[in-house]
Amino acid sequence: MSEFETINPATIKQALQQLQSHSPLIHCMTNDVVQSFTANVLLALGCSPAMVIEPEEAEQFAAIASGLLINVGTLTTDRRHAMRLAVKSANNAGKPWVLDPVAAGGLIFRTQFCHELLTLKPTAIRGNASEIMALAGINQGGRGVDSTNTSYDALSAAQSLAQSANTIVAISGEVDYVTDGIRTVAVTGGHPLMTRVVGTGCALSAVVAAYCTLSGDLLLNVASACASMKQAGKTATQKSKGTGSFIPEFLDALYLSNQ
Amino acid sequence: MSEFETINPATIKQALQQLQSHSPLIHCMTNDVVQSFTANVLLALGCSPAMVIEPEEAEQFAAIASGLLINVGTLTTDRRHAMRLAVKSANNAGKPWVLDPVAAGGLIFRTQFCHELLTLKPTAIRGNASEIMALAGINQGGRGVDSTNTSYDALSAAQSLAQSANTIVAISGEVDYVTDGIRTVAVTGGHPLMTRVVGTGCALSAVVAAYCTLSGDLLLNVASACASMKQAGKTATQKSKGTGSFIPEFLDALYLSNQ
Amino acid sequence: MSEFETINPATIKQALQQLQSHSPLIHCMTNDVVQSFTANVLLALGCSPAMVIEPEEAEQFAAIASGLLINVGTLTTDRRHAMRLAVKSANNAGKPWVLDPVAAGGLIFRTQFCHELLTLKPTAIRGNASEIMALAGINQGGRGVDSTNTSYDALSAAQSLAQSANTIVAISGEVDYVTDGIRTVAVTGGHPLMTRVVGTGCALSAVVAAYCTLSGDLLLNVASACASMKQAGKTATQKSKGTGSFIPEFLDALYLSNQ
């Protein structure tokens, strides 16, 4: 494990404090399933979420917002069009944007769109092992939103992808790996219960977009986003009876981490 | 009541264990209101949900998934097109699919589509009394998502519908009736509080789709789905102060039923 | 403060009891983020929500429902078309409808549509200070869903708007002001935590639509809607650890206010 950096609690805390003081406005173009949870996660952390999807509005708003999230979970042709305009607008305005390639690899339409988006230079990519391997051109035939690979299995793919696309790649799993292709940070913590609640990964991608708006070391900022979400997940699991009580406990933990 | 079968706890438990060990992947094409809750219900039970709605993707994914849910709650012309492709794809791949005819009868556009879907042979149909009566051609003029009839009022309509469409029909109510037109299972339990939380019926339809993927007696599998949800509803109600705390308690009860 | 009316607890309670006995059916055309929360708020209060968005259906349903909500939060061209039909249908049927001009002012597409909707005579408008000022033609350049102004800052704009559009305007804030342009009711209570949970304002607009269906003094009915939501928010905050536990506590408080 000596090849990986770790991230220390002081760095995580500093990033969180910077997040809180800046309160970035995050333009979320995300899937239909996780809209409310994503907004509540960002709000709990002190950020401002806004979901804007009409093409003309998305183009206008991406330049106003602090950062942009593109999540292809319930992609449609209309949504794809709006996302293209938003990404180009964010790029023109010098705003960071994050790609969450939900279920890339398994489904042709979204996989092709994710590859197109790669050419538009995302600031960061956050996905599970199967999704990252698919983006890197290694098709493992994942059956959808699940990953049948561990995050470590996808590490070399993530490193290649980070270098070729000049981006930060975060692979979620029991250990999260965050890499720019040269440096790699390993983030431990969390709990498997998080995978039994819809939207924890998708919301993390929105939080990554928020952390990409901060100053400082981008790699450590993205790793801090992963670490803060893992900490809240662990706290929430300890206080939960099951997946139902996990949800309010998780939002409470994020909210209280911010006080 | 001697005309109805009942379902014993051992059968319900066996079906739940089979569900857990198989972890079916359920393709949910459902309405905008219940996406997150439906996903969390399936996850709590150990299933994998995936919401895929773009026509090309929906067609591709319906053949990959274990089972398909069609819920017409916020139907649009685009969604209708994608649903047609998904249903035909599921049929070609021999995968079960379930129809939830939300508010059929009251609204012309969706009622016509539900009648069209009937010709594509759903594995099961799950609705309230008004919806089932509307599908069977008896228009009671329901005002939307509410049912002003008891489930018993719709029983003969359900039996006719099950025979003519060669399907299983589940009517939700204070007593759920599940029928193939010849045999009818009565499922008791639950609590009226469940009707004051959005999505309990819609999520049941997704769970029915999951249970339709199991081996064994299809009628008893669908009745087991209804019974497990009623049990969790009763447990959650006992632990709740109101409709707000019901939601996490309900998901917890489903999650713990599965441990 | 002598220029403002206040609303007494007996009036608030009477309006709530009338709401409960009538159980209005509210047609919600609202944004993708708050669908489930809005439905659960209405259900907790004893109302029936229904989200119907296909143009033909929306037109048909707006005439059947007791009242209509138009929320432009995730407006699209298709949704705009369906909203126009629904509003005209509600007007023809003599049903009240409420406009929630989410982020009006900041985004051109929706701002133009909100101005168009003003000509169709909403029964009430519910928004934050920035949104109301934008509708009144005072552009403060809000950055989206946030309001950088206090509700008091927007009061004269709200009064002008209420008079010119012949409507009731409710401005949300630490104090809510509800005005018909001549009389103005100040509603205190609530808690800032409510602004850290997505959908409390959007759900209030749906509740305002429900209260607009009641008989009696329309201005006091709208103020009662605001007061009941503020009371539940205060109760929920006292029982919450953070924004996560606030959500079930808020719904419970609404549900229990109704028993």
Side-chain angles (χ1 to χ4, degrees):
Chain A
M1 297 283 289
S2 60
E3 57 186 311
F4 306 124
E5 295 182 40
T6 54
I7 182 165
N8 65 54
T11 303
I12 299 168
K13 192 169 180 65
Q14 274 172 2
L16 183 63
Q17 286 169 342
Q18 195 192 152
L19 188 79
Q20 184 177 12
S21 66
H22 286 211
S23 187
L25 173 61
I26 304 304
H27 180 186
C28 300
M29 301 185 79
T30 190
N31 69 70
D32 296 338
V33 191
V34 303
Q35 302 255 346
S36 172
F37 186 68
T38 301
N40 277 324
V41 163
L42 288 171
L43 284 165
L45 285 166
C47 308
S48 288
M51 280 63 176
V52 176
I53 57 170
E54 194 277 331
E56 178 191 315
E57 285 199 342
E59 182 173 24
Q60 188 194 351
F61 193 63
I64 298 169
S66 314
L68 171 67
L69 166 68
I70 300 291
N71 174 306
V72 300
T74 50
L75 190 66
T76 60
T77 302
D78 287 349
R79 206 66 66 89
R80 184 178 64 178
H81 173 53
M83 287 174 172
R84 279 178 182 137
L85 293 174
V87 165
K88 286 172 186 169
S89 177
N91 281 344
N92 286 339
K95 302 297 177 71
W97 67 279
V98 169
L99 172 62
D100 186 332
V102 178
L107 294 162
I108 297 164
F109 180 80
R110 68 181 67 189
T111 305
Q112 287 177 340
F113 183 53
C114 286
H115 282 295
E116 176 189 331
L117 287 175
L118 278 185
T119 66
L120 297 173
K121 302 192 177 303
T123 312
I125 300 169
R126 204 287 321 164
N128 67 29
S130 297
E131 292 157 357
I132 298 303
M133 291 165 91
L135 276 197
I138 303 166
N139 199 332
Q140 294 290 313
R143 65 176 198 166
V145 291
D146 294 329
S147 182
T148 47
N149 300 102
T150 70
S151 53
Y152 187 82
D153 294 337
L155 183 53
S156 67
Q159 289 165 333
S160 303
L161 179 63
Q163 287 203 309
S164 65
N166 192 24
T167 188
I168 305 282
V169 178
I171 323 164
S172 294
E174 192 179 329
V175 178
D176 289 358
Y177 294 101
V178 183
T179 184
D180 62 7
I182 297 164
R183 297 162 62 202
T184 298
V185 184
V187 183
T188 57
H191 192 278
L193 194 68
M194 296 177 77
T195 65
R196 296 284 294 275
V197 174
V198 81
T200 50
C202 296
L204 171 56
S205 297
V207 173
V208 167
Y211 275 78
C212 282
T213 69
L214 305 181
S215 61
D217 184 326
L218 184 60
L219 186 71
L220 290 184
N221 285 340
V222 173
S224 292
C226 297
S228 285
M229 291 286 273
K230 275 189 176 296
Q231 285 177 352
K234 192 174 178 182
T235 301
T237 300
Q238 290 164 346
K239 299 188 175 187
S240 303
K241 291 180 297 183
T243 53
S245 42
F246 177 89
I247 298 167
E249 291 289 355
F250 182 67
L251 294 173
D252 280 354
L254 291 171
Y255 176 77
L256 293 169
S257 73
N258 194 33
Q259 302 302 301
Chain B
M1 296 284 288
S2 60
E3 57 184 310
F4 305 126
E5 295 182 39
T6 55
I7 184 166
N8 66 56
T11 303
I12 299 168
K13 193 171 178 64
Q14 275 173 0
L16 184 63
Q17 286 170 341
Q18 197 192 147
L19 188 80
Q20 186 177 10
S21 66
H22 286 212
S23 187
L25 174 62
I26 305 304
H27 179 186
C28 300
M29 301 185 78
T30 191
N31 69 71
D32 295 339
V33 190
V34 303
Q35 303 256 343
S36 173
F37 186 67
T38 301
N40 278 325
V41 163
L42 288 171
L43 285 165
L45 285 166
C47 308
S48 288
M51 279 66 175
V52 177
I53 57 169
E54 194 278 332
E56 177 191 316
E57 284 199 342
E59 183 173 25
Q60 188 195 348
F61 193 63
I64 298 169
S66 314
L68 171 66
L69 167 68
I70 300 292
N71 174 307
V72 301
T74 50
L75 191 64
T76 60
T77 303
D78 287 349
R79 206 65 66 90
R80 184 176 65 176
H81 172 53
M83 286 175 173
R84 280 179 182 136
L85 293 174
V87 165
K88 287 172 185 169
S89 178
N91 281 344
N92 286 338
K95 302 297 178 70
W97 68 278
V98 169
L99 172 61
D100 186 332
V102 178
L107 295 162
I108 298 165
F109 181 80
R110 69 180 66 187
T111 304
Q112 288 178 338
F113 184 53
C114 286
H115 283 295
E116 176 190 332
L117 286 176
L118 278 185
T119 67
L120 297 174
K121 302 189 176 305
T123 311
I125 300 169
R126 204 288 320 165
N128 66 29
S130 297
E131 293 157 355
I132 298 303
M133 291 164 93
L135 276 198
I138 303 166
N139 200 330
Q140 295 290 312
R143 66 176 199 167
V145 291
D146 294 329
S147 181
T148 47
N149 299 102
T150 72
S151 53
Y152 188 81
D153 294 337
L155 183 54
S156 66
Q159 288 166 333
S160 301
L161 178 62
Q163 286 203 309
S164 65
N166 193 24
T167 188
I168 305 282
V169 177
I171 322 164
S172 294
E174 191 180 326
V175 179
D176 289 358
Y177 295 101
V178 184
T179 185
D180 62 7
I182 298 165
R183 297 161 62 201
T184 298
V185 184
V187 183
T188 57
H191 191 278
L193 194 69
M194 296 177 79
T195 65
R196 297 281 296 273
V197 174
V198 81
T200 51
C202 296
L204 170 56
S205 297
V207 173
V208 167
Y211 274 79
C212 283
T213 69
L214 304 181
S215 59
D217 184 326
L218 183 60
L219 186 72
L220 290 183
N221 285 341
V222 173
S224 293
C226 296
S228 285
M229 292 285 274
K230 274 188 176 296
Q231 285 177 353
K234 192 174 177 183
T235 301
T237 301
Q238 289 165 347
K239 299 188 176 184
S240 302
K241 289 182 295 183
T243 54
S245 43
F246 177 89
I247 298 167
E249 291 290 354
F250 182 67
L251 294 172
D252 280 355
L254 291 171
Y255 175 77
L256 293 170
S257 72
N258 193 33
Q259 299 303 300
Chain C
M1 295 283 288
S2 60
E3 58 184 310
F4 305 125
E5 295 181 40
T6 55
I7 183 165
N8 66 56
T11 303
I12 299 168
K13 192 170 178 67
Q14 275 172 359
L16 184 63
Q17 285 169 343
Q18 196 193 151
L19 189 79
Q20 186 178 11
S21 66
H22 286 212
S23 187
L25 173 62
I26 304 304
H27 180 186
C28 300
M29 302 186 76
T30 189
N31 70 69
D32 296 339
V33 191
V34 303
Q35 303 255 345
S36 173
F37 186 67
T38 301
N40 278 324
V41 164
L42 287 172
L43 285 165
L45 284 166
C47 308
S48 289
M51 280 66 174
V52 176
I53 56 170
E54 194 278 332
E56 179 190 317
E57 284 199 342
E59 183 174 24
Q60 188 194 351
F61 193 64
I64 298 169
S66 316
L68 170 67
L69 167 68
I70 300 291
N71 173 308
V72 301
T74 50
L75 192 64
T76 61
T77 302
D78 287 349
R79 205 64 66 90
R80 186 177 63 176
H81 173 53
M83 286 174 173
R84 279 177 182 138
L85 293 174
V87 165
K88 287 172 186 170
S89 177
N91 281 345
N92 286 338
K95 303 296 177 70
W97 68 278
V98 169
L99 172 61
D100 186 332
V102 178
L107 295 161
I108 298 163
F109 180 81
R110 68 181 67 187
T111 304
Q112 288 177 338
F113 183 54
C114 287
H115 283 295
E116 176 190 332
L117 286 175
L118 278 185
T119 66
L120 297 174
K121 304 191 175 303
T123 311
I125 300 168
R126 205 288 320 164
N128 66 29
S130 297
E131 293 157 356
I132 298 303
M133 291 164 94
L135 277 198
I138 303 165
N139 200 331
Q140 295 291 312
R143 66 177 198 167
V145 291
D146 294 328
S147 181
T148 47
N149 299 102
T150 70
S151 52
Y152 187 82
D153 294 338
L155 183 54
S156 67
Q159 288 165 333
S160 302
L161 178 62
Q163 286 203 310
S164 66
N166 192 25
T167 188
I168 305 284
V169 178
I171 322 163
S172 294
E174 192 179 329
V175 177
D176 289 358
Y177 295 101
V178 183
T179 185
D180 61 7
I182 298 166
R183 297 161 62 202
T184 298
V185 183
V187 182
T188 56
H191 192 278
L193 194 68
M194 296 177 78
T195 65
R196 296 282 295 272
V197 173
V198 81
T200 51
C202 296
L204 171 56
S205 297
V207 173
V208 168
Y211 275 78
C212 283
T213 69
L214 304 182
S215 60
D217 184 327
L218 185 61
L219 185 73
L220 291 183
N221 285 341
V222 173
S224 293
C226 296
S228 285
M229 293 285 274
K230 275 190 175 296
Q231 284 178 354
K234 192 173 177 184
T235 301
T237 302
Q238 289 165 347
K239 299 190 175 184
S240 302
K241 291 181 294 184
T243 54
S245 43
F246 177 90
I247 298 167
E249 291 289 353
F250 182 67
L251 294 173
D252 280 354
L254 290 171
Y255 176 78
L256 294 170
S257 72
N258 193 35
Q259 301 303 302

